[in-house]
């Protein structure tokens, strides 16, 4: 038997001995028999070979696996767990949350106001520059017109 087959055989024997349901244990025992037959051995021979190579520390498949359900109940799924009871929120907690929200809104509006002031200042500076440039062009135009009309 290859090491992979031996490992699979060992796992099937463990499941046959400690499976959760009778069907699961029977299926594991049948799988162990198929693995042993694939290696040209009977289930008893393969189990004896495995036990001898491991020093007798593994469960034997010769004995009938126990038919009772496992001793410890299975752990239920997370969604099957009962939900914790809802703790009612207190008036103090509501006031604290409201104060927190108000403080956040004040900080956000102050930040937005600073940004708007900076943008307005930039726009005013740009508009002043454009007015100055236009005034210069107007003076040049007026001077050129005066030269054309003067004799």
């Amino acid at each position: 038997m290859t090491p992979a087959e031996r490992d699979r055989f060992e796992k099937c024997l463990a499941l046959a001995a400690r499976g959760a349901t009778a069907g699961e244990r029977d299926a594991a025992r049948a799988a162990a028999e198929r693995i042993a037959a694939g290696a040209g051995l009977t289930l008893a021979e393969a189990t004896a070979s495995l036990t001898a190579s491991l020093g007798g520390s593994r469960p034997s498949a010769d004995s009938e696996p126990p038919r009772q359900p496992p001793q410890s109940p299975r752990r239920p799924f997370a969604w099957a767990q009962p939900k914790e009871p809802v703790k009612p929120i207190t008036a103090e907690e509501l006031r604290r949350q409201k104060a927190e929200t108000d403080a956040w809104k004040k900080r956000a509006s102050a930040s937005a106001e600073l940004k708007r002031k900076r943008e307005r200042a930039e726009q005013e500076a740009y508009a002043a520059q454009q007015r100055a440039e236009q005034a210069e062009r107007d003076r040049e135009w007026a001077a050129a017109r005066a030269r054309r009309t003067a004799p």
Side-chain angles (χ1 to χ4, degrees), residues 19-34:
T21 63
E24 189 177 51
R25 292 187 295 269
D26 292 340
R29 186 175 179 89
E33 288 173 357
R34 284 193 304 274

Side-chain angles (χ1 to χ4, degrees), residues 2-13:
T2 65
E5 288 173 336
R6 184 177 302 121
D7 185 46
R8 185 162 178 245
F9 180 73
E10 189 177 338
K11 289 177 182 177
C12 287
L13 285 179

Side-chain angles (χ1 to χ4, degrees), residues 60-131:
S60 173
D62 289 338
S63 63
E64 184 66 28
R67 295 289 180 179
Q68 73 272 7
Q71 297 300 324
S72 61
R74 287 185 160 203
R75 185 171 164 223
F77 294 106
W79 52 265
Q81 294 289 332
K83 293 184 179 181
E84 291 185 23
V86 178
K87 295 177 184 172
I89 192 164
T90 63
E92 292 175 1
E93 177 65 15
L94 284 173
R95 283 189 211 107
R96 186 194 64 76
Q97 288 177 1
K98 182 161 177 40
E100 206 173 271
T101 302
D102 289 345
W104 176 81
K105 285 181 179 178
K106 282 182 182 179
R107 286 192 307 270
S109 66
S111 174
E113 183 62 29
L114 283 175
K115 186 177 178 183
R116 281 192 298 272
K117 283 182 180 179
R118 273 188 246 122
E119 288 174 353
R120 270 189 250 126
E122 289 172 4
Q123 289 172 353
E124 288 298 323
Y126 178 75
Q129 179 187 2
Q130 293 300 314
R131 281 191 300 271

Side-chain angles (χ1 to χ4, degrees), residues 41-59:
L41 303 169
T42 65
L43 183 60
E45 291 170 342
T47 304
S49 169
L50 181 66
T51 305
S53 67
L54 297 175
S57 64
R58 298 293 174 196

